[in-house]
Amino acid sequence: MSKGIHKIRAILKTQCVVICIGFLFLACSRPNSVESISDHTVVAVVDGSEITAEVLRDEMEVLLRQFRVKDESDMTLEEKLILKTKGLNRIIQSIILDKEAALAKVYLSKDEYDEAFNEVKSGYLEDSFAKFLKAEEILFEEWEKKFKNNMLIKKLIKVSVNSKVSVSDDQVKKYYDDHQQEFLMGEQVRSLQIIVASEDEARTIQKQLKSGKIDFSALAQEHSLGPEGPQGGDLGYFEVGQMPEEFDSVFKLKINKISETIQTPYGYHLFKVVDKKPARQMNFEESKKAIYDQLLREEQSRAFENWLVKLKDKSDIEIRHDVLAQIN
């Protein structure tokens, strides 16, 4: 079974299984109410805007690509119904938010689009963005339409929701006082690393280090395959759990001692610990920005959900469950 199927089962089931069971019950009660489903068959109507089977199928294809599902035959009937429901919910939400953006007179300027698009493209080398779209079987026009819509919705949410949400200093301090255990920083080590491709090469370097004639950093600059090699192999400070578990033995080394060869899927490693910091409680000043960001995200999420429920309550939404059940 593909990883995509495992992922879609984990995500979709937790998100809307209760709603889908209701849809399934309604659909089963009228199994022959729709004789055939064409691309133009209407699945739902939102404030007068019709959602056709073709539009829903296109959205389902997007979801399947996102979840890396290549073979739909691996999905159960319940999972397919959940997929359809999620796709339909996304379309309904998009229609409602597009309407709200127009009412709120929120628009996307060309400069805003150009800046955001150039930022996306800057993350790809040369023509790799076009290659990405081709590999995902996505037309640029299709990608651009969704990208613009996502930007518009983000701008609407920023104006209508996020701008009205705030977190006070008292809330931040109270969270810190009530959750001290979250701000315990474990023991940290600062280590240098040399990583090479073969065990023989690692042993040769280890002999040179034991001779004391060549500095660890110099050997890292000369031989290490790691990105920190040019900086003498300096990994900076890290805690247990921040690195692959094979590195945990590094915490047992004394300062200025060199490890035995450690093998990982990346190669053969040698470490030298140059400093250690004991476990300690982070103070409020160190913690407050992370707390503020977390609380703000939570408040914005709650505000968005409440706002969206109100928009849906004001909307006229009609879903044809019999049609939904028969769409493949």
Side-chain angles (χ1 to χ4, degrees):
M1 187 180 295
S2 69
K3 291 181 179 179
I5 290 293
H6 285 298
K7 187 174 181 180
I8 200 169
R9 287 180 178 173
I11 295 175
L12 296 185
K13 280 192 174 182
T14 57
Q15 288 184 339
C16 52
V17 67
V18 175
I19 295 173
C20 288
I21 289 172
F23 281 177
L24 185 60
F25 176 79
L26 289 171
C28 290
S29 66
R30 294 184 292 170
N32 299 316
S33 57
V34 177
E35 293 181 0
S36 63
I37 305 295
S38 71
D39 283 347
H40 302 293
T41 302
V42 176
V43 183
V45 182
V46 181
D47 291 331
S49 297
E50 294 183 341
I51 301 171
T52 64
E54 181 180 24
V55 172
L56 178 54
R57 286 175 179 135
D58 288 344
E59 189 65 31
M60 289 164 63
E61 285 296 322
V62 171
L63 286 169
L64 288 171
R65 285 199 298 267
Q66 287 181 353
F67 293 124
R68 304 295 179 189
V69 177
K70 295 182 180 179
D71 189 354
E72 291 182 55
S73 64
D74 286 338
M75 298 175 63
T76 66
L77 290 176
E78 182 189 1
E79 288 161 354
K80 288 180 180 179
L81 184 55
I82 292 171
L83 182 73
K84 286 186 285 188
T85 304
K86 181 171 178 62
L88 185 58
N89 285 339
R90 280 174 39 150
I91 298 168
I92 290 172
Q93 180 171 307
S94 180
I95 292 173
I96 291 173
L97 293 180
D98 282 347
K99 177 185 173 184
E100 184 64 19
L103 289 173
K105 295 183 173 12
V106 174
Y107 303 102
L108 186 67
S109 70
K110 184 178 183 303
D111 287 344
E112 287 172 327
Y113 168 76
D114 289 342
E115 181 180 351
F117 178 67
N118 289 332
E119 185 177 345
V120 169
K121 284 204 70 176
S122 68
Y124 294 84
L125 298 174
E126 299 178 354
D127 62 344
S128 59
F129 178 66
K131 289 180 179 178
F132 160 75
L133 293 180
K134 185 176 180 181
E136 295 292 321
E137 299 180 348
I138 302 173
L139 295 175
F140 175 75
E141 292 77 14
E142 175 190 340
W143 178 89
E144 184 179 49
K145 181 180 178 181
K146 284 191 173 291
F147 182 66
K148 284 182 175 179
N149 184 254
N150 288 339
M151 285 193 63
L152 178 65
I153 298 309
K154 285 181 180 178
K155 186 174 180 180
L156 171 65
I157 294 170
K158 182 178 180 180
V159 171
S160 300
V161 181
N162 293 350
S163 64
K164 301 173 183 178
V165 174
S166 62
V167 173
S168 69
D169 290 342
D170 288 343
Q171 285 176 283
V172 175
K173 184 64 166 65
K174 184 176 187 311
Y175 188 93
Y176 176 80
D177 291 340
D178 293 345
H179 299 83
Q180 291 276 310
Q181 71 281 0
E182 292 183 17
F183 306 100
L184 289 173
M185 183 177 289
E187 181 188 13
Q188 293 181 299
V189 299
R190 182 181 178 187
S191 177
L192 310 181
Q193 172 188 232
I194 296 173
I195 176 173
V196 292
S198 71
E199 188 174 9
D200 286 342
E201 187 176 4
R203 285 174 178 169
T204 299
I205 292 172
Q206 196 171 41
K207 288 179 181 178
Q208 292 176 298
L209 290 169
K210 287 181 177 179
S211 71
K213 296 179 180 179
I214 305 179
D215 181 66
F216 192 101
S217 293
L219 286 171
Q221 289 174 332
E222 183 179 354
H223 298 284
S224 184
L225 301 175
E228 68 289 328
Q231 288 75 49
D234 192 349
L235 291 170
Y237 289 95
F238 57 89
E239 295 179 52
V240 172
Q242 289 184 321
M243 294 288 190
E245 62 182 33
E246 293 92 344
F247 293 6
D248 289 351
S249 60
V250 175
F251 285 84
K252 298 177 182 178
L253 290 175
K254 294 181 179 179
I255 292 177
N256 292 326
K257 294 299 181 179
I258 296 169
S259 72
E260 296 299 319
T261 301
I262 298 174
Q263 183 181 1
T264 75
Y266 307 102
Y268 294 84
H269 307 250
L270 292 169
F271 295 93
K272 178 180 180 179
V273 171
V274 294
D275 192 23
K276 288 189 175 187
K277 292 182 178 180
R280 66 181 181 85
Q281 177 75 42
M282 293 174 64
N283 62 41
F284 177 65
E285 287 301 313
E286 292 174 291
S287 310
K288 68 179 181 179
K289 185 181 185 307
I291 298 172
Y292 175 84
D293 292 343
Q294 177 185 327
L295 294 181
L296 185 62
R297 285 194 300 270
E298 292 173 356
E299 290 290 342
Q300 289 174 343
S301 179
R302 279 192 289 268
F304 171 75
E305 291 299 329
N306 292 333
W307 176 71
L308 187 59
V309 167
K310 291 178 182 177
L311 291 182
K312 286 183 176 179
D313 287 343
K314 291 191 302 181
S315 302
D316 183 12
I317 303 172
E318 176 191 348
I319 298 174
R320 295 188 61 188
H321 302 299
D322 46 2
V323 176
L324 181 65
Q326 296 185 54
I327 290 178
N328 296 317

